[in-house]
Amino acid sequence: MNGTRRRFFQDAAFFGAGVFGLAEALRGDTQLSDPQAARAMEQGRHHSPYGNHKKKEAALAAPDPFLPMSTPDLPDLPYELDGRVKVFKLVAEPVKRKIAPFKTIDAWGYNGTCPGPTIQVQQGDRVRIIFENKLPESTSIHWHGLEVPIDQDGVPWISQKPIAPGEKYVYEFSVHQEGTFFYHSHGAMQEMMGMIGFFVAHPERTYTPHADHDFGMILQEWAVLPNNSVPNTAAMEYNWLTFNGTSAPSITPMIARLGSRVRLRIINMGMDHHPIHLHGNQFVMTGTEGGRAPESTWYPMNTVLVGVAQARVVEFDAKYPGAWMVHCHLPHHMMNSMMDLLKDRAIETANTTDAKALAQMETLANDVPFEHVHHSPIAPNANSVPGFPQDAFMEMGMDDAVEKPETHGLPKNWSAGMMGMMTLIRVLPDKEYDEMTQRIKSAGTTEQKEHSHGS
């Protein structure tokens, strides 16, 4: 029998086993949660366009240590070891998310946060995710960009039965890829309620050039009507824009050492594409949701378009000290909702006088509270000029309300023009960087003690 015929019969046998196993999973109550069965099915059926993933003798050395990615304003998901399997526990549930000092929304997420906690593994790991559904409706999880067996793909009725409220389901697969991936519900409305999280697979061998800092950002849009807290998932226009579930100026700045190399991973789970721009620096795009890109494809830029359901990884050398802005360059994505600031009153966008604007901002300042700082100067005849006002009354300085260790040392009223999808990468010289990291560490230790005492 020649090689072609032999491969044909082998593939036919594998295909038959796969269809039989999937049919059993969809028909029965057992949801392929047995690790040995899942592993056997994966080894028998999983084919990849990248070829055989069995380790060669030369690749048996221990993997390189990796630099964990930092996801500002979001936690990592911890794991336990069962032999060599990394076991994660993930819970889908309703959550409350404070996206601005004066705005909290009712979202859906994982493990008490929206977006969900970051899952970090390494290429070659075997992972098991014990998933529990505490939502009022059925759900499932899709591992976006990961090459997993069909019974682990997370599409209701196609690859598994929907996971009913109160039920648990076990996903298990081996991670042979490296790169920036994510997990999310495979229900369109649930996605718009916030059900997404990072899934980062660090490479078995360290990337060259290596990064000294690794940050992650999730882009989301929300349609939240005035005096409401529940996002309208059927809406097509959005009035709140967030990085990692938080809107500027509440977003925690990223801190980098002068002279270091910085990696920034960006994923988009919304309805709009986002051109993400970095001030004062040029970067190269080194990866997508498919993994690391060949260095021959890198070229300098400072704005990268992150399309819906895409991941973009950029890297740059932090050569210049300063607080450099990172933001979506769509104009309406650089602002928060201006219809919801004063509860039953909306800020006027036309025919507004200086006195009216001051009164409105004082009302908001008393409610949050924060110290109101007068907006940037306007001309004496401003109200007689066609088109006025535009940005004149948009500023909302609230430094005290969003203060945290990472904002220490920023100029007074730094937060006034920070809204929507806007954050900072602060590149600090050695002395300032060391002082900042110590400040952050001390604040974290204090929070841990307070949390421990409170529990």
Side-chain angles (χ1 to χ4, degrees):
M1 182 183 295
N2 62 34
T4 302
R5 293 193 64 193
R6 185 181 298 110
R7 283 194 297 274
F8 171 80
F9 286 117
Q10 288 174 341
D11 288 345
F14 290 151
F15 177 77
V19 171
F20 176 77
L22 177 59
E24 289 295 311
L26 292 173
R27 182 170 62 246
D29 293 329
T30 302
Q31 300 191 340
L32 288 178
S33 60
D34 178 68
Q36 288 184 331
R39 189 176 298 110
M41 292 182 71
E42 179 175 356
Q43 290 172 347
R45 285 201 330 277
H46 184 46
H47 297 277
S48 166
Y50 300 104
N52 193 340
H53 303 297
K54 290 183 179 179
K55 291 185 177 180
K56 297 178 181 178
E57 292 300 322
L60 292 177
D64 294 340
F66 64 84
L67 172 70
M69 183 188 73
S70 172
T71 321
D73 301 307
L74 292 175
D76 277 2
L77 186 64
Y79 66 87
E80 297 177 351
L81 282 174
D82 179 7
R84 295 185 178 180
V85 181
K86 292 182 177 178
V87 182
F88 298 86
K89 294 181 180 179
L90 194 62
V91 180
E93 59 189 349
V95 301
K96 287 190 178 293
R97 181 63 168 171
K98 188 175 184 179
I99 60 176
F102 48 87
K103 188 66 176 179
T104 297
I105 64 173
D106 287 287
W108 289 4
Y110 301 95
N111 293 56
T113 186
C114 173
T118 298
I119 296 175
Q120 302 202 52
V121 300
Q122 191 163 18
Q123 185 179 19
D125 281 347
R126 182 82 181 174
V127 299
R128 182 183 307 147
I129 297 96
I130 301 172
F131 176 72
E132 182 177 0
N133 182 15
K134 289 188 177 181
L135 298 173
E137 61 187 38
S138 297
T139 189
S140 66
I141 297 184
H142 172 60
W143 312 98
H144 192 107
L146 286 165
E147 297 172 359
V148 299
I150 184 63
D151 54 87
Q152 305 296 297
D153 194 47
V155 181
W157 302 115
I158 301 295
S159 57
Q160 68 172 87
K161 292 171 63 177
I163 305 167
E167 284 190 351
K168 291 185 177 182
Y169 189 95
V170 178
Y171 294 94
E172 182 164 342
F173 49 86
S174 295
V175 180
H176 65 262
Q177 298 160 269
E178 50 74 27
T180 304
F181 312 106
F182 45 106
Y183 63 91
H184 62 83
S185 162
H186 214 273
M189 303 303 226
Q190 291 180 4
E191 291 175 13
M192 296 306 295
M193 280 293 284
M195 303 191 71
I196 181 177
F198 264 109
F199 189 112
V200 174
H202 296 278
E204 195 171 37
R205 297 288 168 253
T206 304
Y207 294 138
T208 302
H210 78 276
D212 304 292
H213 303 283
D214 195 335
F215 299 107
M217 294 195 315
I218 296 177
L219 317 182
Q220 290 171 294
E221 307 113 26
W222 310 89
V224 190
L225 297 174
N227 302 318
N228 281 265
S229 63
V230 179
N232 179 358
T233 58
M236 293 293 179
E237 294 187 2
Y238 307 95
N239 55 356
W240 287 93
L241 294 304
T242 59
F243 286 159
N244 293 347
T246 308
S247 193
S250 295
I251 302 167
T252 300
M254 294 168 276
I255 310 297
R257 187 188 293 273
L258 181 64
S260 65
R261 186 173 180 85
V262 179
R263 177 181 299 127
L264 181 58
R265 306 172 191 253
I266 312 164
I267 60 177
N268 179 9
M269 195 59 171
M271 286 284 289
D272 292 324
H273 304 316
H274 299 284
I276 301 299
H277 174 57
L278 170 64
H279 285 211
N281 297 267
Q282 312 305 318
F283 54 61
V284 291
M285 189 176 76
T286 60
T288 71
E289 69 281 356
R292 187 77 165 178
E295 191 168 349
S296 60
T297 67
W298 302 358
Y299 55 89
M301 56 177 135
N302 50 61
T303 305
V304 61
L305 184 63
V306 187
V308 173
Q310 289 184 336
R312 292 292 179 263
V313 183
V314 300
E315 297 180 16
F316 70 98
D317 293 321
K319 298 183 290 186
Y320 310 114
W324 301 109
M325 188 172 287
V326 181
H327 65 92
C328 176
H329 220 292
L330 290 175
H332 279 191
H333 292 186
M334 291 186 280
M335 61 180 71
N336 297 322
S337 169
M338 303 305 290
M339 297 295 293
D340 198 35
L341 299 179
L342 304 176
K343 296 189 172 75
D344 57 342
R345 292 192 297 160
I347 285 185
E348 302 171 37
T349 58
N351 195 30
T352 301
T353 65
D354 194 40
K356 278 186 178 181
L358 282 173
Q360 288 178 320
M361 296 311 295
E362 288 293 350
T363 301
L364 176 61
N366 292 333
D367 186 55
V368 173
F370 63 88
E371 180 187 359
H372 174 61
V373 179
H374 196 285
H375 54 77
S376 300
I378 61 174
N381 66 334
N383 287 99
S384 66
V385 178
F388 176 84
Q390 294 300 325
D391 287 333
F393 305 127
M394 298 283 283
E395 293 181 350
M396 295 180 290
M398 53 183 76
D399 297 6
D400 294 342
V402 298
E403 183 182 11
K404 56 192 71 175
E406 291 85 351
T407 65
H408 178 77
L410 288 172
K412 185 175 176 57
N413 209 33
W414 69 270
S415 60
M418 298 283 291
M419 291 178 281
M421 286 181 164
M422 307 176 82
T423 188
L424 299 170
I425 292 183
R426 301 186 64 186
V427 178
L428 303 176
D430 288 347
K431 184 175 182 294
E432 295 177 33
Y433 178 82
D434 292 339
E435 291 174 352
M436 176 64 75
T437 52
Q438 184 57 48
R439 186 181 296 272
I440 294 168
K441 183 178 179 181
S442 298
T445 303
T446 302
E447 288 179 6
Q448 272 189 330
K449 287 181 179 178
E450 289 177 353
H451 179 73
S452 176
H453 180 73
S455 60

